[in-house]
Amino acid sequence: MGLLSVCLKGEVGRSIGMIWLVLLLLLVSQGNGKGAVEASDYLIGLGSYDITGPAADVNMMGYANMEQITSGVHFRLRARTFIVAEPQGKRVAFVNLDACMASQIVTIKVLERLRARYGNLYTEQNVAISGIHTHAGPGGYLQYVVYIVTSLGFVRQSFDAVVNGIEQSIIQAHENLRPGSIFVNKGELLDAGVNRSPSAYLNNPAGERSKYKYNVDKEMTLLKFTDDEWGPVGSFNWFATHGTSMSRTNSLISGDNKGAAARFMEDWFDQKNTESSNFNISKVSELPRRVSNIIPTVRGKHHELLELAASFQSSPGKPVTRLMSMARRVRSSLRLADRPKFVSAFCQTNCGDVSPNVLGAFCIDTGLPCDFNHSTCGGKNELCYGRGPGYPDEFESTRIIGERQFKKAVELFDKATEQVRGKIEFRHTYVDFSNLEVTVSKEDGSTETSKTCPAAMGFAFAAGTTDGPGAFDFKQGDDQGNVFWRLVRNLLKTPGDEQKKCQHPKPILLDTGEMKLPYDWAPSILPVQILRIGQLVILSVPGEFTTMAGRRLRDAVKTVLTSGGTKEFDSNIHVVLAGLTNTYSQYITTFEEYQIQRYEGASTLYGPHTLSAYIQQFKKLASALITGETLQAGPQPPDLLEKQISLLAPVVLDATPIGSKFGDIIADVPQSSTFNRGNLVSVSFWSACPRNDLMTEGTFALVEILQGKDTWVPAYDDDDFCLRFIWSRPSKLSTRSKATIEWRIPESAASGVYRIRHFGAAKSLFGSVKHFAGSSSAFVVA
């Protein structure tokens, strides 16, 4: 209508324009009837990009276990983004990372790239970058010393993969912006998380605990994104459970339970749309099959399939182009080019004391439950481990917890009818948490002024958790410490009396906030951010809030928003907390939980009043959101990229035995073999270090199915839960390596002839990198 009005001239033009206006109003009024699609309030866009990173030699981020080094891929990691914009106004971008947490230096560099590309369209004010908290991704992409010690310092490949992936996912979302609608829904998921520090939770006031049915949050909040033309194009949800279904001994890159849930839901949607528009999404009884299985396959008797398979022997390794592994990607090869890719993200919230190991914590020597207060077995924390629902198989536990989140998300997605409407707003500021005055309420109703402290970690931090116990004689719930470890600590930094008093009752093991060599060990300046999309409010927090800490923050913000003297919000407001966002500063417990000094309390960096400081700052943000007040930017965090030290040795050379080539088969499937669903198929190839090429948006491993007599079609790749790419070398200094690809045949796999392929890249002595591929012999799945 705007273009028409410009083109029309004179009285005739105005008359015709009025006729069009009346017709338009009639159409809109007809559209408000029952069952009609309402006019969209927003432009929405979604994007997704690979951030898997180096699948060899790099320490994993999360458990701080120096022996946990990447050596393959369980399934790939991704950055998923949604952008919501008012047609002629403000916008917000939310990025969900299949990574342990966000990183301050990553956020800084992503924003620099966005500024160069888009000007002031995307800034620290309206961009949030949040991690799902998988403990099975490559580390080395954070800038503070304490978070990169175990990765031998900064890992440029990890950093670049994350920064590039975030940028590309935002570009995709930006370019996909189209008119659409958003719907919100909530529901309880009861069996995907338990409290791993229940003794600390019990120290919260009884009256407060009585307001809640559970000692962890069971609610999932989901957004459904619908394109005006294409219909549903994605979903993002927030639910609290740790990314620790995969253990501290796992070495395969994995998005853990939330990354798995995202893949299950994206594949489910693709399958639903490929099979039938009448698919009932409310009846999900099992995981989706792979989309590729819908492709017609050879149908015939078993002996005919065997004859076909026998005609395809393993092929020797051969040179290929780098694009080959991208071209054979299952999802990219099957997606309709003219339809937006469905993007589903399972985001993290106040997971600080929530474990996916729902069977409880037990002693590995006796099988008895661990000590309730200290999570020890005979006084030793190393023997106390949580058990997931698939115990003792961590992959099965990951699948089950992921599947439970996926099924709940599908249910909420199907039933989401509450439309998100209203303004887009945001507020952001930086706060120095190392010395912040905080007004604290006392039991008698009065208030007093206290302060936060420079960052420090307590003795119980070194004890770890039941998800990943620490070593030596540390234990959770230790508010005393011991003489020996104090002597060790003092070799690094002796905390002063003021710091000890401020952090009390935490006995300080590492005074990280006051350790500055070779550069800062811990952050002091943190971002706090609030995003509003209509009646949805997202609180971006740079750490892990425990259950009760998260509840207090959400309630405080909701009170400000609903009692601010405006009609902007009502009781139907949805406040979600996005954990591990924009940077990382470990844990935030309640004051009462801090006194117990479990792992979470010992890891609450800025002292007992850390939560009160967050509540104070977010109340200011919430107030500014409804009054329109502009906040000061605050002190800028440091950019330490140029100071980073890396001790990870580069890849110098790859080699194979004399007479063999890269991609040659080492261990093949038996000739004329038949496998049943549920069987494990394993083949090995001569390979090279995966750090030579991360195969971003490509694949190291591929299962192909024969279509017709001679056409091989991608069926499963290293983004599938059932396929594992395992890389190994005989010793750290060896130039030789092999790739083992394991395929656990899903129950939903189609009958037919299959083969397994491996893609890689080898480095020569002169530094050049050459790509290769190899194939196994064919076999039959009956």
Side-chain angles (χ1 to χ4, degrees):
M1 281 302 298
L3 290 175
L4 181 63
S5 299
V6 170
C7 296
L8 294 173
K9 303 293 184 181
E11 294 298 324
V12 174
R14 284 193 290 273
S15 298
I16 296 174
M18 287 301 296
I19 293 171
W20 276 103
L21 179 60
V22 170
L23 289 173
L24 179 60
L25 291 173
L26 286 172
L27 287 171
V28 171
S29 65
Q30 290 293 321
N32 287 333
K34 183 177 180 180
V37 178
E38 298 186 28
S40 56
D41 291 329
Y42 307 114
L43 301 175
I44 60 173
L46 292 95
S48 174
Y49 203 81
D50 190 350
I51 59 167
T52 301
D57 301 331
V58 176
N59 184 249
M60 286 182 166
M61 182 64 206
Y63 289 115
N65 176 17
M66 292 195 70
E67 297 179 357
Q68 189 184 18
I69 305 298
T70 58
S71 60
V73 178
H74 178 207
F75 59 88
R76 286 188 168 264
L77 311 180
R78 301 196 73 79
R80 295 175 170 90
T81 296
F82 75 73
I83 297 175
V84 181
E86 297 169 344
Q88 300 297 328
K90 298 179 179 179
R91 63 184 59 199
V92 295
F94 187 93
V95 185
N96 186 66
L97 300 179
D98 286 346
C100 194
M101 66 280 290
S103 155
Q104 197 158 70
I105 191 60
V106 165
T107 301
I108 289 171
K109 296 308 174 183
V110 167
L111 292 174
E112 286 181 1
R113 293 190 182 190
L114 294 177
R115 190 176 302 113
R117 183 180 292 271
Y118 299 113
N120 291 325
L121 201 57
Y122 301 102
T123 70
E124 62 195 15
Q125 293 283 327
N126 64 347
V127 175
I129 303 172
S130 178
I132 64 170
H133 210 37
T134 175
H135 286 41
Y141 63 94
L142 291 92
Q143 71 170 354
Y144 296 105
V145 172
V146 75
Y147 305 130
I148 55 176
V149 168
T150 57
S151 60
L152 300 179
F154 191 71
V155 180
R156 188 76 199 205
Q157 268 194 321
S158 292
F159 172 80
D160 286 343
V162 175
V163 172
N164 293 338
I166 295 172
E167 181 189 23
Q168 290 302 316
S169 72
I170 291 174
I171 291 172
Q172 283 184 24
H174 177 85
E175 294 179 348
N176 287 337
L177 279 169
R178 295 160 49 90
S181 302
I182 308 170
F183 300 87
V184 62
N185 199 6
K186 292 181 177 180
E188 280 193 341
L189 174 57
L190 300 180
D191 54 359
V194 296
N195 198 305
R196 69 185 186 188
S197 289
S199 59
Y201 180 88
L202 287 173
N203 206 44
N204 291 307
E208 182 180 34
R209 287 186 281 110
S210 68
K211 295 190 299 183
Y212 303 98
K213 189 174 180 180
Y214 306 105
N215 64 359
V216 296
D217 284 342
K218 301 285 188 178
E219 188 171 70
M220 176 183 287
T221 300
L222 177 137
L223 295 182
K224 177 179 180 178
F225 298 92
T226 302
D227 184 282
D228 281 359
E229 178 183 356
W230 291 107
V233 290
S235 69
F236 276 57
N237 71 72
W238 290 265
F239 177 77
T241 194
H242 247 77
T244 49
S245 291
M246 300 297 290
S247 75
R248 68 195 298 272
T249 60
N250 162 65
S251 63
L252 301 185
I253 291 175
S254 173
D256 211 276
N257 56 70
K258 287 189 176 291
R263 275 148 190 77
F264 297 159
M265 191 157 184
E266 289 172 348
D267 287 346
W268 158 80
F269 187 86
D270 286 343
Q271 175 192 329
K272 174 179 75 72
N273 279 276
T274 304
E275 286 187 328
S276 170
S277 60
N278 297 319
F279 188 89
N280 187 347
I281 62 177
S282 65
K283 297 179 180 179
V284 179
S285 58
E286 60 182 20
L287 294 178
R289 347 180 253 168
R290 284 296 306 116
V291 181
S292 53
N293 295 341
I294 299 161
I295 296 175
T297 57
V298 174
R299 298 191 180 279
K301 295 181 181 179
H302 184 238
H303 73 274
E304 294 173 340
L305 294 177
L306 283 175
E307 287 180 1
L308 268 175
S311 63
F312 293 96
Q313 303 298 317
S314 63
S315 62
K318 61 181 180 180
V320 296
T321 65
R322 188 209 180 283
L323 296 178
M324 178 63 72
S325 78
M326 296 177 65
R328 303 306 287 172
R329 292 283 297 178
V330 171
R331 287 156 183 79
S332 60
S333 65
L334 292 173
R335 186 173 67 83
L336 296 175
D338 59 344
R339 182 187 178 93
K341 178 168 58 177
F342 186 85
V343 178
S344 181
F346 286 68
C347 312
Q348 196 57 270
T349 177
N350 54 322
C351 68
D353 52 358
V354 188
S355 171
N357 295 312
V358 294
L359 299 186
F362 296 88
C363 299
I364 59 175
D365 56 343
T366 65
L368 297 174
C370 305
D371 174 79
F372 182 76
N373 290 317
H374 302 289
S375 295
T376 55
C377 301
K380 296 181 178 180
N381 69 80
E382 304 100 307
L383 302 177
C384 177
Y385 279 88
R387 294 180 180 176
Y391 176 82
D393 186 341
E394 62 189 306
F395 294 94
E396 182 66 3
S397 292
T398 300
R399 183 194 65 78
I400 293 171
I401 297 298
E403 181 181 0
R404 289 172 181 175
Q405 292 177 78
F406 151 67
K407 287 184 175 181
K408 174 55 64 173
V410 168
E411 177 188 328
L412 297 177
F413 184 88
D414 185 21
K415 298 177 180 178
T417 58
E418 180 188 339
Q419 190 164 356
V420 177
R421 293 184 180 279
K423 293 180 181 179
I424 290 178
E425 283 286 353
F426 41 81
R427 293 293 185 275
H428 174 287
T429 187
Y430 288 109
V431 180
D432 187 345
F433 271 74
S434 68
N435 187 28
L436 183 65
E437 285 194 356
V438 183
T439 301
V440 180
S441 298
K442 300 174 67 175
E443 291 183 4
D444 61 5
S446 62
T447 61
E448 66 178 8
T449 300
S450 297
K451 284 190 174 184
T452 57
C453 327
M457 289 146 58
F459 275 66
F461 157 80
T465 71
T466 56
D467 291 337
F472 304 109
D473 54 349
F474 297 102
K475 65 180 180 181
Q476 294 194 69
D478 183 1
D479 60 1
Q480 300 297 321
N482 66 59
V483 174
F484 173 76
W485 288 111
R486 282 195 179 92
L487 291 173
V488 174
R489 170 202 68 191
N490 292 344
L491 295 175
L492 295 172
K493 173 70 171 64
T494 304
D497 291 340
E498 184 177 351
Q499 172 75 322
K500 292 178 182 177
K501 181 179 179 182
C502 186
Q503 293 278 353
H504 181 80
K506 176 198 294 178
I508 298 172
L509 177 64
L510 291 173
D511 191 14
T512 52
E514 299 180 317
M515 297 166 69
K516 304 295 182 181
L517 295 176
Y519 44 88
D520 293 358
W521 278 56
S524 59
I525 298 171
L526 303 179
V528 289
Q529 180 189 53
I530 187 168
L531 307 177
R532 176 198 175 181
I533 309 170
Q535 68 267 36
L536 175 78
V537 174
I538 301 173
L539 311 180
S540 300
V541 297
E544 302 174 60
F545 277 61
T546 61
T547 298
M548 194 64 84
R551 289 168 175 170
R552 289 185 189 177
L553 178 61
R554 290 197 305 262
D555 289 347
V557 169
K558 189 171 184 178
T559 298
V560 172
L561 295 177
T562 56
S563 61
T566 70
K567 295 184 179 180
E568 288 286 329
F569 297 96
D570 56 26
S571 58
N572 198 37
I573 185 175
H574 303 280
V575 179
V576 296
L577 186 153
L580 306 113
T581 300
N582 294 330
T583 190
Y584 184 62
S585 59
Q586 294 176 246
Y587 285 75
I588 301 93
T589 63
T590 67
F591 177 86
E592 294 83 0
E593 292 165 349
Y594 187 90
Q595 308 307 307
I596 302 301
Q597 282 297 295
R598 294 271 301 188
Y599 174 83
E600 295 82 11
S603 303
T604 296
L605 296 184
Y606 308 105
H609 301 298
T610 299
L611 174 59
S612 294
Y614 272 100
I615 291 174
Q616 178 175 285
Q617 296 305 312
F618 270 97
K619 287 171 72 174
K620 291 180 181 178
L621 293 181
S623 179
L625 197 73
I626 59 178
T627 62
E629 177 188 355
T630 300
L631 297 175
Q632 294 291 325
Q636 290 295 304
D639 179 343
L640 303 176
L641 186 59
E642 298 305 318
K643 294 185 177 182
Q644 296 301 314
I645 298 171
S646 178
L647 301 178
L648 179 66
V651 180
V652 177
L653 173 68
D654 294 290
T656 60
I658 296 175
S660 298
K661 299 188 297 295
F662 293 108
D664 280 1
I665 201 87
I666 299 174
D668 202 358
V669 294
Q671 295 295 316
S672 301
S673 55
T674 299
F675 295 90
N676 296 315
R677 294 167 186 83
N679 289 164
L680 180 69
V681 183
S682 179
V683 296
S684 297
F685 301 85
W686 287 115
S687 189
C689 184
R691 289 163 57 197
N692 295 325
D693 190 321
L694 306 183
M695 297 296 177
T696 301
E697 291 293 344
T699 186
F700 289 109
L702 182 68
V703 175
E704 294 178 321
I705 185 170
L706 184 66
Q707 184 177 359
K709 296 293 184 180
D710 57 5
T711 302
W712 290 100
V713 177
Y716 302 88
D717 59 26
D718 67 11
D719 212 12
D720 279 290
F721 198 89
C722 62
L723 189 66
R724 301 175 193 171
F725 164 64
I726 304 168
W727 180 83
S728 62
R729 56 161 73 97
S731 64
K732 287 186 177 181
L733 299 179
S734 175
T735 58
R736 297 181 183 179
S737 64
K738 71 175 182 177
T740 300
I741 298 174
E742 295 181 349
W743 181 39
R744 179 70 65 180
I745 304 174
E747 293 299 322
S748 57
S751 298
V753 177
Y754 289 84
R755 71 177 181 182
I756 293 176
R757 301 186 71 189
H758 168 47
F759 298 94
K763 178 175 282 190
S764 71
L765 185 61
F766 302 102
S768 63
V769 172
K770 296 182 179 180
H771 292 80
F772 62 86
S775 302
S776 74
S777 297
F779 55 93
V780 172
V781 172

